[in-house]
Short mmCIF file of all heavy atoms in Angstrom, two decimals:
data_model
loop_
_atom_site.label_atom_id
_atom_site.label_comp_id
_atom_site.label_asym_id
_atom_site.label_seq_id
_atom_site.Cartn_x
_atom_site.Cartn_y
_atom_site.Cartn_z
N VAL B 1516 -4.30 -9.05 -18.39
CA VAL B 1516 -3.73 -7.93 -19.14
C VAL B 1516 -4.26 -6.62 -18.54
O VAL B 1516 -5.45 -6.51 -18.26
CB VAL B 1516 -4.14 -8.04 -20.63
CG1 VAL B 1516 -3.72 -6.79 -21.40
CG2 VAL B 1516 -3.52 -9.29 -21.25
N HIS B 1517 -3.38 -5.64 -18.36
CA HIS B 1517 -3.83 -4.42 -17.71
C HIS B 1517 -3.02 -3.21 -18.15
O HIS B 1517 -1.89 -3.33 -18.59
CB HIS B 1517 -3.77 -4.56 -16.18
CG HIS B 1517 -2.38 -4.88 -15.68
ND1 HIS B 1517 -1.86 -6.15 -15.74
CD2 HIS B 1517 -1.41 -4.11 -15.14
CE1 HIS B 1517 -0.63 -6.14 -15.24
NE2 HIS B 1517 -0.33 -4.90 -14.88
N ARG B 1518 -3.64 -2.07 -18.02
CA ARG B 1518 -3.00 -0.78 -18.29
C ARG B 1518 -3.69 0.30 -17.46
O ARG B 1518 -4.92 0.32 -17.37
CB ARG B 1518 -3.12 -0.42 -19.77
CG ARG B 1518 -2.95 1.08 -20.06
CD ARG B 1518 -2.94 1.38 -21.54
NE ARG B 1518 -1.63 1.08 -22.09
CZ ARG B 1518 -1.38 0.93 -23.39
NH1 ARG B 1518 -2.37 1.02 -24.26
NH2 ARG B 1518 -0.16 0.66 -23.80
N PHE B 1519 -2.90 1.19 -16.91
CA PHE B 1519 -3.44 2.37 -16.23
C PHE B 1519 -3.23 3.57 -17.14
O PHE B 1519 -2.17 3.72 -17.76
CB PHE B 1519 -2.75 2.59 -14.89
CG PHE B 1519 -3.13 1.56 -13.85
CD1 PHE B 1519 -2.45 0.36 -13.76
CD2 PHE B 1519 -4.19 1.79 -12.99
CE1 PHE B 1519 -2.81 -0.60 -12.81
CE2 PHE B 1519 -4.56 0.85 -12.04
CZ PHE B 1519 -3.86 -0.36 -11.95
N SER B 1520 -4.23 4.44 -17.19
CA SER B 1520 -4.15 5.66 -18.01
C SER B 1520 -4.65 6.85 -17.20
O SER B 1520 -5.63 6.75 -16.47
CB SER B 1520 -5.03 5.53 -19.25
OG SER B 1520 -4.65 4.41 -20.04
N ALA B 1521 -3.95 7.98 -17.36
CA ALA B 1521 -4.43 9.22 -16.75
C ALA B 1521 -5.46 9.87 -17.67
O ALA B 1521 -5.44 9.67 -18.88
CB ALA B 1521 -3.25 10.17 -16.54
N ASP B 1522 -6.34 10.64 -17.08
CA ASP B 1522 -7.24 11.44 -17.90
C ASP B 1522 -6.43 12.43 -18.73
O ASP B 1522 -5.28 12.74 -18.41
CB ASP B 1522 -8.24 12.20 -17.01
CG ASP B 1522 -9.45 11.34 -16.64
OD1 ASP B 1522 -9.46 10.14 -17.00
OD2 ASP B 1522 -10.36 11.87 -15.99
N SER B 1523 -7.04 12.96 -19.78
CA SER B 1523 -6.30 13.85 -20.68
C SER B 1523 -5.91 15.15 -19.99
O SER B 1523 -4.91 15.76 -20.34
CB SER B 1523 -7.13 14.14 -21.93
OG SER B 1523 -8.35 14.75 -21.57
N ALA B 1524 -6.69 15.56 -18.99
CA ALA B 1524 -6.43 16.85 -18.36
C ALA B 1524 -5.92 16.73 -16.93
O ALA B 1524 -5.76 17.74 -16.24
CB ALA B 1524 -7.71 17.70 -18.38
N GLU B 1525 -5.68 15.51 -16.46
CA GLU B 1525 -5.34 15.34 -15.06
C GLU B 1525 -4.37 14.18 -14.89
O GLU B 1525 -4.55 13.12 -15.50
CB GLU B 1525 -6.63 15.07 -14.27
CG GLU B 1525 -6.47 15.25 -12.78
CD GLU B 1525 -7.82 15.34 -12.07
OE1 GLU B 1525 -8.87 15.29 -12.75
OE2 GLU B 1525 -7.83 15.45 -10.84
N ALA B 1526 -3.37 14.38 -14.05
CA ALA B 1526 -2.44 13.29 -13.76
C ALA B 1526 -3.14 12.22 -12.94
O ALA B 1526 -4.15 12.46 -12.30
CB ALA B 1526 -1.23 13.82 -13.01
N LEU B 1527 -2.58 11.02 -12.97
CA LEU B 1527 -3.08 9.92 -12.14
C LEU B 1527 -1.92 9.39 -11.31
O LEU B 1527 -0.88 9.01 -11.86
CB LEU B 1527 -3.65 8.80 -13.02
CG LEU B 1527 -4.21 7.59 -12.25
CD1 LEU B 1527 -5.51 7.95 -11.54
CD2 LEU B 1527 -4.44 6.41 -13.19
N GLY B 1528 -2.09 9.39 -9.99
CA GLY B 1528 -1.04 8.89 -9.10
C GLY B 1528 -1.56 7.73 -8.28
O GLY B 1528 -2.66 7.80 -7.73
N PHE B 1529 -0.80 6.65 -8.24
CA PHE B 1529 -1.29 5.49 -7.47
C PHE B 1529 -0.13 4.75 -6.82
O PHE B 1529 0.97 4.68 -7.34
CB PHE B 1529 -2.11 4.56 -8.36
CG PHE B 1529 -1.43 4.08 -9.62
CD1 PHE B 1529 -0.70 2.90 -9.62
CD2 PHE B 1529 -1.53 4.80 -10.80
CE1 PHE B 1529 -0.09 2.45 -10.78
CE2 PHE B 1529 -0.91 4.36 -11.97
CZ PHE B 1529 -0.19 3.19 -11.96
N LEU B 1530 -0.43 4.21 -5.64
CA LEU B 1530 0.46 3.29 -4.97
C LEU B 1530 0.27 1.91 -5.58
O LEU B 1530 -0.85 1.53 -5.93
CB LEU B 1530 0.13 3.22 -3.47
CG LEU B 1530 0.23 4.55 -2.72
CD1 LEU B 1530 -0.45 4.43 -1.36
CD2 LEU B 1530 1.68 4.98 -2.57
N CYS B 1531 1.35 1.15 -5.71
CA CYS B 1531 1.25 -0.20 -6.26
C CYS B 1531 2.18 -1.10 -5.45
O CYS B 1531 3.38 -0.84 -5.35
CB CYS B 1531 1.65 -0.21 -7.73
SG CYS B 1531 1.62 -1.86 -8.47
N ILE B 1532 1.61 -2.13 -4.85
CA ILE B 1532 2.39 -3.05 -4.02
C ILE B 1532 2.50 -4.39 -4.75
O ILE B 1532 1.51 -4.92 -5.23
CB ILE B 1532 1.72 -3.26 -2.64
CG1 ILE B 1532 1.48 -1.91 -1.98
CG2 ILE B 1532 2.59 -4.14 -1.75
CD1 ILE B 1532 0.04 -1.57 -1.77
N VAL B 1533 3.73 -4.88 -4.79
CA VAL B 1533 4.01 -6.17 -5.46
C VAL B 1533 5.02 -6.95 -4.62
O VAL B 1533 5.78 -6.38 -3.84
CB VAL B 1533 4.63 -5.98 -6.87
CG1 VAL B 1533 3.60 -5.45 -7.85
CG2 VAL B 1533 5.86 -5.08 -6.83
N ASP B 1534 5.01 -8.27 -4.79
CA ASP B 1534 6.03 -9.10 -4.16
C ASP B 1534 7.41 -8.65 -4.62
O ASP B 1534 7.59 -8.28 -5.79
CB ASP B 1534 5.85 -10.57 -4.55
CG ASP B 1534 4.62 -11.18 -3.91
OD1 ASP B 1534 4.18 -10.68 -2.86
OD2 ASP B 1534 4.10 -12.16 -4.48
N ARG B 1535 8.36 -8.69 -3.70
CA ARG B 1535 9.72 -8.33 -4.08
C ARG B 1535 10.26 -9.29 -5.15
O ARG B 1535 10.87 -8.86 -6.12
CB ARG B 1535 10.63 -8.31 -2.86
CG ARG B 1535 12.01 -7.81 -3.19
CD ARG B 1535 12.93 -7.83 -2.00
NE ARG B 1535 12.65 -6.72 -1.08
CZ ARG B 1535 13.51 -6.34 -0.12
NH1 ARG B 1535 14.63 -6.99 0.06
NH2 ARG B 1535 13.22 -5.33 0.65
N GLU B 1536 10.03 -10.58 -4.93
CA GLU B 1536 10.40 -11.58 -5.93
C GLU B 1536 9.22 -11.78 -6.85
O GLU B 1536 8.15 -12.20 -6.40
CB GLU B 1536 10.76 -12.91 -5.24
CG GLU B 1536 11.91 -12.83 -4.28
CD GLU B 1536 13.24 -12.65 -4.99
OE1 GLU B 1536 13.38 -13.16 -6.12
OE2 GLU B 1536 14.13 -11.97 -4.44
N ARG B 1537 9.41 -11.48 -8.14
CA ARG B 1537 8.28 -11.56 -9.06
C ARG B 1537 8.77 -11.77 -10.48
O ARG B 1537 9.93 -11.53 -10.79
CB ARG B 1537 7.42 -10.29 -8.97
CG ARG B 1537 8.18 -9.03 -9.30
CD ARG B 1537 7.34 -7.78 -9.02
NE ARG B 1537 8.03 -6.56 -9.41
CZ ARG B 1537 8.91 -5.91 -8.64
NH1 ARG B 1537 9.20 -6.35 -7.43
NH2 ARG B 1537 9.51 -4.82 -9.09
N ASP B 1538 7.87 -12.24 -11.31
CA ASP B 1538 8.24 -12.47 -12.71
C ASP B 1538 8.24 -11.15 -13.48
O ASP B 1538 7.67 -10.14 -13.04
CB ASP B 1538 7.28 -13.48 -13.36
CG ASP B 1538 5.84 -12.98 -13.40
OD1 ASP B 1538 5.42 -12.29 -12.44
OD2 ASP B 1538 5.15 -13.25 -14.38
N ARG B 1539 8.88 -11.17 -14.63
CA ARG B 1539 8.96 -9.96 -15.46
C ARG B 1539 7.67 -9.78 -16.26
O ARG B 1539 7.12 -10.75 -16.79
CB ARG B 1539 10.13 -10.07 -16.44
CG ARG B 1539 11.47 -9.94 -15.75
CD ARG B 1539 12.59 -10.16 -16.72
NE ARG B 1539 12.55 -9.23 -17.83
CZ ARG B 1539 13.52 -9.11 -18.73
NH1 ARG B 1539 14.59 -9.86 -18.65
NH2 ARG B 1539 13.42 -8.24 -19.71
N PRO B 1540 7.22 -8.54 -16.38
CA PRO B 1540 6.04 -8.29 -17.21
C PRO B 1540 6.30 -8.63 -18.68
O PRO B 1540 7.43 -8.51 -19.16
CB PRO B 1540 5.82 -6.78 -17.06
CG PRO B 1540 6.53 -6.39 -15.81
CD PRO B 1540 7.71 -7.32 -15.72
N VAL B 1541 5.27 -9.03 -19.36
CA VAL B 1541 5.33 -9.27 -20.80
C VAL B 1541 4.41 -8.26 -21.47
O VAL B 1541 3.24 -8.14 -21.09
CB VAL B 1541 4.85 -10.71 -21.13
CG1 VAL B 1541 4.79 -10.93 -22.63
CG2 VAL B 1541 5.76 -11.73 -20.46
N ALA B 1542 4.95 -7.52 -22.42
CA ALA B 1542 4.14 -6.54 -23.14
C ALA B 1542 3.14 -7.26 -24.04
O ALA B 1542 3.42 -8.32 -24.60
CB ALA B 1542 5.03 -5.63 -23.96
N VAL B 1543 1.96 -6.66 -24.15
CA VAL B 1543 0.89 -7.23 -24.95
C VAL B 1543 0.58 -6.25 -26.08
O VAL B 1543 0.55 -5.03 -25.85
CB VAL B 1543 -0.37 -7.46 -24.08
CG1 VAL B 1543 -1.54 -7.96 -24.91
CG2 VAL B 1543 -0.06 -8.44 -22.95
N ALA B 1544 0.35 -6.78 -27.29
CA ALA B 1544 0.04 -5.90 -28.42
C ALA B 1544 -1.29 -5.19 -28.18
O ALA B 1544 -2.22 -5.74 -27.59
CB ALA B 1544 -0.03 -6.72 -29.71
N GLU B 1545 -1.36 -3.95 -28.65
CA GLU B 1545 -2.54 -3.11 -28.40
C GLU B 1545 -3.84 -3.77 -28.84
O GLU B 1545 -4.88 -3.62 -28.20
CB GLU B 1545 -2.41 -1.79 -29.17
CG GLU B 1545 -1.29 -0.91 -28.69
CD GLU B 1545 -1.54 -0.36 -27.29
OE1 GLU B 1545 -2.72 -0.15 -26.94
OE2 GLU B 1545 -0.57 -0.16 -26.56
N ASP B 1546 -3.79 -4.49 -29.95
CA ASP B 1546 -5.03 -5.02 -30.52
C ASP B 1546 -5.27 -6.47 -30.12
O ASP B 1546 -6.16 -7.13 -30.63
CB ASP B 1546 -5.02 -4.89 -32.05
CG ASP B 1546 -3.79 -5.57 -32.64
OD1 ASP B 1546 -2.99 -6.13 -31.87
OD2 ASP B 1546 -3.65 -5.53 -33.87
N ALA B 1547 -4.47 -6.97 -29.19
CA ALA B 1547 -4.60 -8.38 -28.83
C ALA B 1547 -5.83 -8.61 -27.95
O ALA B 1547 -6.49 -9.64 -28.04
CB ALA B 1547 -3.35 -8.86 -28.11
#
Side-chain angles (χ1 to χ4, degrees):
Chain B
V1516 173
H1517 58 281
R1518 159 174 281 163
F1519 289 86
S1520 301
D1522 276 5
S1523 59
E1525 196 165 358
L1527 180 71
F1529 55 91
L1530 301 166
C1531 178
I1532 306 116
V1533 289
D1534 289 336
R1535 185 182 283 196
E1536 300 289 328
R1537 59 188 184 275
D1538 63 325
R1539 288 175 58 171
V1541 175
V1543 176
E1545 294 292 329
D1546 55 1

